[in-house]
Amino acid sequence: FPYFNENGEAVGIKHHKGKNGESPDWEGDGTCKWYGLRLLRGFDRNKPLYICEGEKDCLRMLSIGFQVTTGSAGAGSIPKDLSPVAGFIEYIIIYDNDKAGNEGAEKLAERMVIEFGKTVKIAQWHEGLPKGYDISDDAENEFKEVDYAIANAKEYIPPKKGYTLITME
């Protein structure tokens, strides 16, 4: 998967399955960044941006007309620079149906709510789907589970932090 900078110059290539068959290998800049940076610039900010888990899922959603991106380092990592994804009317995170996906979606949603002050929703997969189920798995099902997950997305509300104040009364 090629990664480009804002000028359209290739800065790195991610090989999905590395030499050991598990973690990805990189040629060039392997730091955490947004996939499809050149496409992001042309997306309509008055429509939602979907953020999925992985390049393969991102390409699937792009192919059926979604405005979508993904981070390059998995569900638990967030690119330091959020400016390429800033300014959208709404954000919907649709990560894999597993523990890493759930935790990563909440981590990203919290950061985006704090930095952007906008609505961020997390897609909700159907109960009973296999662990690890993702967008690419749903292609054979005509993306019916993806449609369900998006339709049932829940707004992320950050947990309250701090102290409860007690008045003099």
Side-chain angles (χ1 to χ4, degrees), residues 102-144:
N102 295 334
E103 290 173 357
E106 287 197 11
K107 182 178 172 182
L108 176 59
E110 181 173 29
R111 181 154 169 224
M112 293 176 82
V113 166
I114 290 167
E115 289 197 28
F116 298 156
K118 297 251 183 153
T119 299
V120 178
K121 294 180 179 177
I122 299 175
Q124 304 295 308
W125 293 102
H126 248 131
E127 294 280 331
L129 288 174
K131 292 292 176 206
Y133 194 88
D134 65 16
I135 294 160
S136 294
D137 294 328
D138 202 36
E140 293 175 15
N141 195 24
E142 298 178 4
F143 300 102
K144 290 178 184 169

Short mmCIF file of all heavy atoms in Angstrom, two decimals, residues 102-144:
data_model
loop_
_atom_site.label_atom_id
_atom_site.label_comp_id
_atom_site.label_asym_id
_atom_site.label_seq_id
_atom_site.Cartn_x
_atom_site.Cartn_y
_atom_site.Cartn_z
N ASN A 102 -12.58 -2.34 19.16
CA ASN A 102 -13.43 -1.58 20.09
C ASN A 102 -12.62 -0.57 20.89
O ASN A 102 -13.00 0.60 21.01
CB ASN A 102 -14.18 -2.52 21.04
CG ASN A 102 -15.17 -3.41 20.32
OD1 ASN A 102 -15.67 -3.07 19.26
ND2 ASN A 102 -15.45 -4.56 20.90
N GLU A 103 -11.49 -1.02 21.43
CA GLU A 103 -10.66 -0.12 22.23
C GLU A 103 -10.03 0.98 21.37
O GLU A 103 -9.96 2.13 21.78
CB GLU A 103 -9.58 -0.92 22.97
CG GLU A 103 -10.16 -1.79 24.07
CD GLU A 103 -9.14 -2.71 24.72
OE1 GLU A 103 -7.95 -2.73 24.30
OE2 GLU A 103 -9.53 -3.42 25.67
N GLY A 104 -9.59 0.61 20.18
CA GLY A 104 -8.99 1.59 19.28
C GLY A 104 -10.00 2.64 18.82
O GLY A 104 -9.67 3.83 18.73
N ALA A 105 -11.23 2.21 18.55
CA ALA A 105 -12.28 3.15 18.12
C ALA A 105 -12.57 4.16 19.23
O ALA A 105 -12.71 5.36 18.97
CB ALA A 105 -13.55 2.39 17.74
N GLU A 106 -12.64 3.70 20.46
CA GLU A 106 -12.89 4.61 21.58
C GLU A 106 -11.72 5.57 21.80
O GLU A 106 -11.93 6.76 22.05
CB GLU A 106 -13.20 3.84 22.86
CG GLU A 106 -14.58 3.22 22.82
CD GLU A 106 -15.09 2.80 24.19
OE1 GLU A 106 -14.48 3.17 25.21
OE2 GLU A 106 -16.13 2.13 24.21
N LYS A 107 -10.52 5.07 21.66
CA LYS A 107 -9.32 5.91 21.82
C LYS A 107 -9.30 7.02 20.76
O LYS A 107 -9.07 8.20 21.08
CB LYS A 107 -8.07 5.02 21.70
CG LYS A 107 -6.77 5.73 21.88
CD LYS A 107 -5.63 4.70 21.78
CE LYS A 107 -4.27 5.35 21.76
NZ LYS A 107 -3.19 4.36 21.63
N LEU A 108 -9.56 6.67 19.51
CA LEU A 108 -9.59 7.66 18.43
C LEU A 108 -10.75 8.63 18.62
O LEU A 108 -10.59 9.85 18.48
CB LEU A 108 -9.69 6.97 17.07
CG LEU A 108 -9.83 7.90 15.86
CD1 LEU A 108 -8.65 8.87 15.75
CD2 LEU A 108 -9.97 7.07 14.58
N ALA A 109 -11.93 8.11 18.96
CA ALA A 109 -13.10 8.96 19.15
C ALA A 109 -12.85 10.00 20.24
O ALA A 109 -13.17 11.18 20.08
CB ALA A 109 -14.33 8.11 19.48
N GLU A 110 -12.26 9.57 21.34
CA GLU A 110 -11.99 10.50 22.44
C GLU A 110 -11.06 11.63 21.98
O GLU A 110 -11.32 12.80 22.23
CB GLU A 110 -11.39 9.77 23.64
CG GLU A 110 -11.13 10.70 24.81
CD GLU A 110 -10.70 9.97 26.06
OE1 GLU A 110 -10.09 8.89 25.97
OE2 GLU A 110 -10.99 10.49 27.16
N ARG A 111 -10.01 11.27 21.30
CA ARG A 111 -9.07 12.31 20.84
C ARG A 111 -9.75 13.27 19.86
O ARG A 111 -9.53 14.48 19.92
CB ARG A 111 -7.84 11.65 20.19
CG ARG A 111 -6.85 12.70 19.73
CD ARG A 111 -5.45 12.22 19.66
NE ARG A 111 -4.67 13.22 18.96
CZ ARG A 111 -3.78 12.96 18.03
NH1 ARG A 111 -3.51 11.71 17.72
NH2 ARG A 111 -3.13 13.93 17.43
N MET A 112 -10.57 12.73 18.96
CA MET A 112 -11.22 13.59 17.97
C MET A 112 -12.27 14.50 18.61
O MET A 112 -12.37 15.67 18.24
CB MET A 112 -11.86 12.73 16.87
CG MET A 112 -10.82 12.01 16.03
SD MET A 112 -11.54 10.91 14.82
CE MET A 112 -11.92 12.10 13.55
N VAL A 113 -13.02 14.00 19.57
CA VAL A 113 -14.01 14.83 20.26
C VAL A 113 -13.30 15.97 20.99
O VAL A 113 -13.73 17.13 20.92
CB VAL A 113 -14.86 13.98 21.25
CG1 VAL A 113 -15.63 14.86 22.22
CG2 VAL A 113 -15.81 13.08 20.48
N ILE A 114 -12.20 15.66 21.64
CA ILE A 114 -11.45 16.68 22.38
C ILE A 114 -10.86 17.71 21.42
O ILE A 114 -10.98 18.91 21.63
CB ILE A 114 -10.34 16.03 23.24
CG1 ILE A 114 -10.98 15.26 24.40
CG2 ILE A 114 -9.36 17.09 23.75
CD1 ILE A 114 -10.03 14.34 25.14
N GLU A 115 -10.23 17.27 20.34
CA GLU A 115 -9.55 18.19 19.43
C GLU A 115 -10.49 18.93 18.49
O GLU A 115 -10.24 20.08 18.16
CB GLU A 115 -8.47 17.46 18.63
CG GLU A 115 -7.29 17.09 19.50
CD GLU A 115 -6.05 16.75 18.72
OE1 GLU A 115 -5.85 17.25 17.61
OE2 GLU A 115 -5.26 15.95 19.26
N PHE A 116 -11.56 18.27 18.03
CA PHE A 116 -12.44 18.89 17.04
C PHE A 116 -13.73 19.45 17.63
O PHE A 116 -14.36 20.31 17.03
CB PHE A 116 -12.81 17.89 15.93
CG PHE A 116 -11.65 17.37 15.13
CD1 PHE A 116 -11.74 16.16 14.49
CD2 PHE A 116 -10.47 18.09 15.01
CE1 PHE A 116 -10.70 15.66 13.72
CE2 PHE A 116 -9.41 17.60 14.25
CZ PHE A 116 -9.53 16.39 13.61
N GLY A 117 -14.18 18.91 18.75
CA GLY A 117 -15.44 19.34 19.32
C GLY A 117 -16.63 19.01 18.43
O GLY A 117 -17.63 19.71 18.42
N LYS A 118 -16.53 17.94 17.65
CA LYS A 118 -17.58 17.53 16.71
C LYS A 118 -18.11 16.16 17.12
O LYS A 118 -17.49 15.43 17.88
CB LYS A 118 -17.01 17.42 15.29
CG LYS A 118 -16.50 18.71 14.73
CD LYS A 118 -17.43 19.17 13.66
CE LYS A 118 -16.90 20.44 13.04
NZ LYS A 118 -17.30 20.64 11.70
N THR A 119 -19.24 15.81 16.52
CA THR A 119 -19.83 14.50 16.76
C THR A 119 -18.95 13.41 16.15
O THR A 119 -18.54 13.50 15.00
CB THR A 119 -21.23 14.42 16.12
OG1 THR A 119 -22.06 15.41 16.75
CG2 THR A 119 -21.85 13.05 16.31
N VAL A 120 -18.66 12.41 16.96
CA VAL A 120 -17.93 11.23 16.50
C VAL A 120 -18.77 10.02 16.90
O VAL A 120 -19.16 9.88 18.05
CB VAL A 120 -16.53 11.13 17.14
CG1 VAL A 120 -15.82 9.86 16.68
CG2 VAL A 120 -15.69 12.36 16.81
N LYS A 121 -19.07 9.18 15.92
CA LYS A 121 -19.86 7.98 16.18
C LYS A 121 -18.99 6.75 15.97
O LYS A 121 -18.08 6.76 15.14
CB LYS A 121 -21.07 7.92 15.26
CG LYS A 121 -22.09 9.03 15.52
CD LYS A 121 -23.27 8.90 14.57
CE LYS A 121 -24.30 9.97 14.84
NZ LYS A 121 -25.41 9.88 13.88
N ILE A 122 -19.33 5.71 16.69
CA ILE A 122 -18.66 4.42 16.53
C ILE A 122 -19.68 3.43 16.01
O ILE A 122 -20.74 3.22 16.63
CB ILE A 122 -18.04 3.94 17.86
CG1 ILE A 122 -16.99 4.95 18.34
CG2 ILE A 122 -17.44 2.55 17.69
CD1 ILE A 122 -16.41 4.64 19.71
N ALA A 123 -19.39 2.84 14.86
CA ALA A 123 -20.29 1.86 14.24
C ALA A 123 -20.45 0.66 15.17
O ALA A 123 -19.51 0.26 15.86
CB ALA A 123 -19.74 1.43 12.89
N GLN A 124 -21.64 0.09 15.16
CA GLN A 124 -21.97 -1.04 16.03
C GLN A 124 -22.31 -2.26 15.18
O GLN A 124 -23.34 -2.28 14.51
CB GLN A 124 -23.16 -0.68 16.93
CG GLN A 124 -22.95 0.56 17.77
CD GLN A 124 -21.86 0.40 18.78
OE1 GLN A 124 -21.84 -0.55 19.56
NE2 GLN A 124 -20.91 1.34 18.78
N TRP A 125 -21.43 -3.25 15.21
CA TRP A 125 -21.67 -4.48 14.46
C TRP A 125 -22.80 -5.27 15.10
O TRP A 125 -23.05 -5.17 16.30
CB TRP A 125 -20.40 -5.34 14.44
CG TRP A 125 -19.27 -4.75 13.66
CD1 TRP A 125 -18.17 -4.13 14.17
CD2 TRP A 125 -19.11 -4.74 12.24
NE1 TRP A 125 -17.34 -3.73 13.14
CE2 TRP A 125 -17.89 -4.08 11.95
CE3 TRP A 125 -19.89 -5.20 11.18
CZ2 TRP A 125 -17.44 -3.90 10.65
CZ3 TRP A 125 -19.43 -5.01 9.88
CH2 TRP A 125 -18.22 -4.38 9.63
N HIS A 126 -23.47 -6.09 14.30
CA HIS A 126 -24.51 -7.01 14.79
C HIS A 126 -23.93 -7.91 15.87
O HIS A 126 -22.79 -8.38 15.75
CB HIS A 126 -24.97 -7.93 13.64
CG HIS A 126 -26.34 -7.69 13.18
ND1 HIS A 126 -26.65 -7.55 11.85
CD2 HIS A 126 -27.52 -7.58 13.84
CE1 HIS A 126 -27.94 -7.37 11.71
NE2 HIS A 126 -28.49 -7.38 12.90
N GLU A 127 -24.73 -8.21 16.87
CA GLU A 127 -24.34 -9.21 17.88
C GLU A 127 -24.22 -10.55 17.17
O GLU A 127 -24.97 -10.84 16.25
CB GLU A 127 -25.41 -9.30 18.98
CG GLU A 127 -25.56 -8.06 19.82
CD GLU A 127 -24.51 -7.94 20.89
OE1 GLU A 127 -24.02 -8.97 21.37
OE2 GLU A 127 -24.17 -6.80 21.25
N GLY A 128 -23.29 -11.36 17.59
CA GLY A 128 -23.17 -12.70 17.04
C GLY A 128 -22.24 -12.84 15.85
O GLY A 128 -22.00 -13.95 15.39
N LEU A 129 -21.73 -11.72 15.32
CA LEU A 129 -20.75 -11.83 14.23
C LEU A 129 -19.44 -12.37 14.79
O LEU A 129 -19.12 -12.14 15.96
CB LEU A 129 -20.50 -10.46 13.59
CG LEU A 129 -21.63 -9.91 12.72
CD1 LEU A 129 -21.30 -8.49 12.26
CD2 LEU A 129 -21.87 -10.80 11.51
N PRO A 130 -18.68 -13.08 13.98
CA PRO A 130 -17.41 -13.63 14.49
C PRO A 130 -16.45 -12.52 14.92
O PRO A 130 -16.47 -11.42 14.38
CB PRO A 130 -16.83 -14.37 13.27
CG PRO A 130 -17.91 -14.45 12.27
CD PRO A 130 -18.93 -13.42 12.60
N LYS A 131 -15.63 -12.83 15.92
CA LYS A 131 -14.60 -11.88 16.36
C LYS A 131 -13.67 -11.62 15.18
O LYS A 131 -13.31 -12.53 14.44
CB LYS A 131 -13.81 -12.43 17.54
CG LYS A 131 -14.62 -12.54 18.80
CD LYS A 131 -15.00 -11.17 19.34
CE LYS A 131 -15.89 -11.29 20.54
NZ LYS A 131 -16.73 -10.13 20.73
N GLY A 132 -13.31 -10.37 15.00
CA GLY A 132 -12.44 -9.99 13.90
C GLY A 132 -13.17 -9.66 12.62
O GLY A 132 -12.55 -9.25 11.64
N TYR A 133 -14.49 -9.83 12.60
CA TYR A 133 -15.28 -9.51 11.40
C TYR A 133 -15.02 -8.06 11.00
O TYR A 133 -14.96 -7.17 11.85
CB TYR A 133 -16.77 -9.73 11.68
CG TYR A 133 -17.64 -9.77 10.45
CD1 TYR A 133 -17.86 -10.96 9.78
CD2 TYR A 133 -18.25 -8.62 9.96
CE1 TYR A 133 -18.68 -11.02 8.65
CE2 TYR A 133 -19.07 -8.66 8.84
CZ TYR A 133 -19.27 -9.86 8.19
OH TYR A 133 -20.08 -9.91 7.08
N ASP A 134 -14.84 -7.84 9.70
CA ASP A 134 -14.56 -6.48 9.25
C ASP A 134 -15.23 -6.19 7.92
O ASP A 134 -15.97 -7.02 7.38
CB ASP A 134 -13.05 -6.23 9.19
CG ASP A 134 -12.31 -7.06 8.16
OD1 ASP A 134 -12.95 -7.65 7.25
OD2 ASP A 134 -11.08 -7.12 8.23
N ILE A 135 -14.98 -5.02 7.39
CA ILE A 135 -15.60 -4.55 6.16
C ILE A 135 -15.35 -5.50 5.00
O ILE A 135 -16.26 -5.84 4.25
CB ILE A 135 -15.11 -3.13 5.84
CG1 ILE A 135 -15.61 -2.16 6.92
CG2 ILE A 135 -15.55 -2.68 4.45
CD1 ILE A 135 -14.83 -0.86 7.01
N SER A 136 -14.12 -5.94 4.84
CA SER A 136 -13.78 -6.84 3.73
C SER A 136 -14.51 -8.18 3.84
O SER A 136 -14.87 -8.77 2.82
CB SER A 136 -12.27 -7.06 3.66
OG SER A 136 -11.63 -5.85 3.31
N ASP A 137 -14.73 -8.64 5.06
CA ASP A 137 -15.48 -9.89 5.25
C ASP A 137 -16.91 -9.76 4.76
O ASP A 137 -17.54 -10.74 4.39
CB ASP A 137 -15.51 -10.29 6.73
CG ASP A 137 -14.15 -10.66 7.27
OD1 ASP A 137 -13.33 -11.18 6.50
OD2 ASP A 137 -13.91 -10.41 8.47
N ASP A 138 -17.44 -8.54 4.75
CA ASP A 138 -18.83 -8.30 4.43
C ASP A 138 -19.10 -8.13 2.93
O ASP A 138 -20.24 -8.00 2.52
CB ASP A 138 -19.34 -7.08 5.21
CG ASP A 138 -20.84 -7.06 5.37
OD1 ASP A 138 -21.44 -8.14 5.54
OD2 ASP A 138 -21.42 -5.97 5.31
N ALA A 139 -18.06 -8.13 2.12
CA ALA A 139 -18.23 -7.92 0.67
C ALA A 139 -19.15 -8.97 0.06
O ALA A 139 -19.99 -8.65 -0.77
CB ALA A 139 -16.87 -7.92 -0.03
N GLU A 140 -19.00 -10.22 0.48
CA GLU A 140 -19.83 -11.29 -0.06
C GLU A 140 -21.30 -11.14 0.36
O GLU A 140 -22.19 -11.70 -0.24
CB GLU A 140 -19.30 -12.65 0.40
CG GLU A 140 -17.95 -12.98 -0.19
CD GLU A 140 -17.38 -14.27 0.36
OE1 GLU A 140 -18.12 -15.05 0.98
OE2 GLU A 140 -16.17 -14.50 0.15
N ASN A 141 -21.52 -10.37 1.42
CA ASN A 141 -22.87 -10.15 1.96
C ASN A 141 -23.45 -8.82 1.44
O ASN A 141 -24.41 -8.31 2.01
CB ASN A 141 -22.80 -10.15 3.49
CG ASN A 141 -24.14 -10.28 4.15
OD1 ASN A 141 -25.08 -10.81 3.57
ND2 ASN A 141 -24.24 -9.79 5.37
N GLU A 142 -22.85 -8.28 0.39
CA GLU A 142 -23.28 -7.01 -0.21
C GLU A 142 -23.28 -5.86 0.79
O GLU A 142 -24.08 -4.95 0.73
CB GLU A 142 -24.65 -7.16 -0.88
CG GLU A 142 -24.65 -8.17 -2.01
CD GLU A 142 -26.01 -8.35 -2.64
OE1 GLU A 142 -26.97 -7.64 -2.26
OE2 GLU A 142 -26.12 -9.21 -3.52
N PHE A 143 -22.37 -5.94 1.75
CA PHE A 143 -22.16 -4.89 2.76
C PHE A 143 -23.38 -4.62 3.63
O PHE A 143 -23.55 -3.53 4.15
CB PHE A 143 -21.63 -3.60 2.10
CG PHE A 143 -20.33 -3.82 1.39
CD1 PHE A 143 -20.29 -3.94 0.01
CD2 PHE A 143 -19.15 -3.94 2.11
CE1 PHE A 143 -19.09 -4.16 -0.65
CE2 PHE A 143 -17.94 -4.17 1.46
CZ PHE A 143 -17.91 -4.27 0.09
N LYS A 144 -24.21 -5.64 3.81
CA LYS A 144 -25.40 -5.49 4.66
C LYS A 144 -25.03 -5.27 6.12
O LYS A 144 -25.67 -4.50 6.82
CB LYS A 144 -26.32 -6.70 4.51
CG LYS A 144 -27.00 -6.75 3.15
CD LYS A 144 -27.87 -7.96 3.00
CE LYS A 144 -28.44 -7.99 1.58
NZ LYS A 144 -29.08 -9.25 1.28
#
